[in-house]
């Protein structure tokens, strides 16, 4: 019996080590490329360092970087812009759900429309930004030409106007993101059992009643998924800003990630930029936790 137990334990150890060997490349990659940078970011947020000079120039400054953040008007403006940019998430979900319902219930050649709406999502953001830059051209852009033809003599200058620049970027973000949300909602709609609709029809339920009491509750896990991923995505917006506005005009489109990039790689303030990354991390963490707690009240699994 003891020999058998020893034999089994030896086999189990071999299997365990075999599993570790198979998983180790991924663990090493995650540790080097993800975990270590995260730890370094938290450490450097308490330091003042110019990475060009080298590690000898690191000076520990405690909470000075965080104090400087909340005294910096550009950082406060970037936080406000990010909070306003969060509005793109519910708007994208609303438009995507409407389009998904129309395609699922009332449209022929569904595959064509799925591809057509999904193409912007899989296209290069840089290409999308360049196209919209042409569309938003204040003098020769098609959008303003249409507005002029409709009798609007002073159309907005869009991304060149501090009052409209953020709104313009939000329009592009919504347009580019609708396809993904629509595909997810379509999958959710097609998973709803037809028996539920048939029972509702027998009870004399109207279209609004079926939408409110069948469709929305069944789609609540899908909505929760899109809400979390969408909000996290808004805090990572960088490429649109980099191509279209570079944070301008007058910091009207500066986001947290863009402010972090400028601080780290333009102004070479690594400690200050690391403090921005830490604040961004806690913003996303708090918002996700609030959603995770709140989903117990409205998500039906």
């Amino acid at each position: 019996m003891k020999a058998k137990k020893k034999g089994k334990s030896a086999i189990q150890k071999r299997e365990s080590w075999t599993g570790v060997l198979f998983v180790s490349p991924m663990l090493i990659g995650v540790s080097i490329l993800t975990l270590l940078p995260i730890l370094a970011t938290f450490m450097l947020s308490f330091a003042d360092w110019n990475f060009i000079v080298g590690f000898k120039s690191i000076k520990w400054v405690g909470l000075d970087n965080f104090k400087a953040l909340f005294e910096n008007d550009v950082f406060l403006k970037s936080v406000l812009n990010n909070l306003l940019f969060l509005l793109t998430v519910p708007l994208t979900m609303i438009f995507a759900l409407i389009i998904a319902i129309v395609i699922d219930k009332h449209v022929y050649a569904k595959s064509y429309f799925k591809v057509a709406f999904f193409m912007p999502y899989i296209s290069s953001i840089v290409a999308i930004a360049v196209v919209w830059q042409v569309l938003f051209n204040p003098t020769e852009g098609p959008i303003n030409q249409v507005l002029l033809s409709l009798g609007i003599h002073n159309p907005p200058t869009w991304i060149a106007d501090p009052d409209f620049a953020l709104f313009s970027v939000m329009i592009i973000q919504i347009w580019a993101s609708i396809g993904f949300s629509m595909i997810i909602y379509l999958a959710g709609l097609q998973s709803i059992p037809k028996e539920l609709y048939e029972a509702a029809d027998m009870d004399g339920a109207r279209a609004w009643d079926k939408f409110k009491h069948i469709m929305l509750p069944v789609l609540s896990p899908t909505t929760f998924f899109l809400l979390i991923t969408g909000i996290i995505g808004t805090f990572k917006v960088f490429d649109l800003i980099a191509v279209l506005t570079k944070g301008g005009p007058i910091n009207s489109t500066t986001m947290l990630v863009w402010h972090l990039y400028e601080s780290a790689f333009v102004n070479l303030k690594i400690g200050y930029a690391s403090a921005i990354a830490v604040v961004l991390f806690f913003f996303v963490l708090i918002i996700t936790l609030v959603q995770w707690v709140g989903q117990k009240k409205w998500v039906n699994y």
Side-chain angles (χ1 to χ4, degrees), residues 17-39:
W17 280 111
T18 302
V20 170
L21 287 174
F22 276 110
V23 177
S24 59
M26 184 192 69
L27 291 178
I28 293 171
V30 169
S31 299
I32 294 175
L33 300 177
T34 304
L35 296 180
L36 288 180
I38 290 174
L39 293 175

Side-chain angles (χ1 to χ4, degrees), residues 210-223:
K210 289 187 281 187
F211 173 78
K212 183 178 179 181
H213 298 290
I214 296 176
M215 193 176 295
L216 284 183
V218 175
L219 289 178
S220 58
T222 304
T223 301

Side-chain angles (χ1 to χ4, degrees), residues 12 14 49 56 84 100 102 142 144 237 240 255 261 268 284:
Q12 289 173 352
R14 288 179 184 175
W49 181 42
K56 294 180 180 180
L84 291 173
V102 172
N144 276 5
V237 173
L240 273 179
M255 303 285 182
Y261 165 79
L268 303 179
V284 175

Side-chain angles (χ1 to χ4, degrees), residues 9 38 60 90 105 118 120 126 154 165-166 178 197 209 222 227 232 243 249 253 256 267 274-275 280 284 290:
S9 63
I38 290 174
W60 301 103
K105 302 291 184 183
F118 194 66
V126 175
N154 294 310
L166 183 61
I178 280 179
Y197 291 119
D209 295 324
T222 304
L227 189 63
I232 293 174
V243 177
T253 59
L256 283 170
N267 301 324
S274 298
L280 179 60
V284 175
V290 169

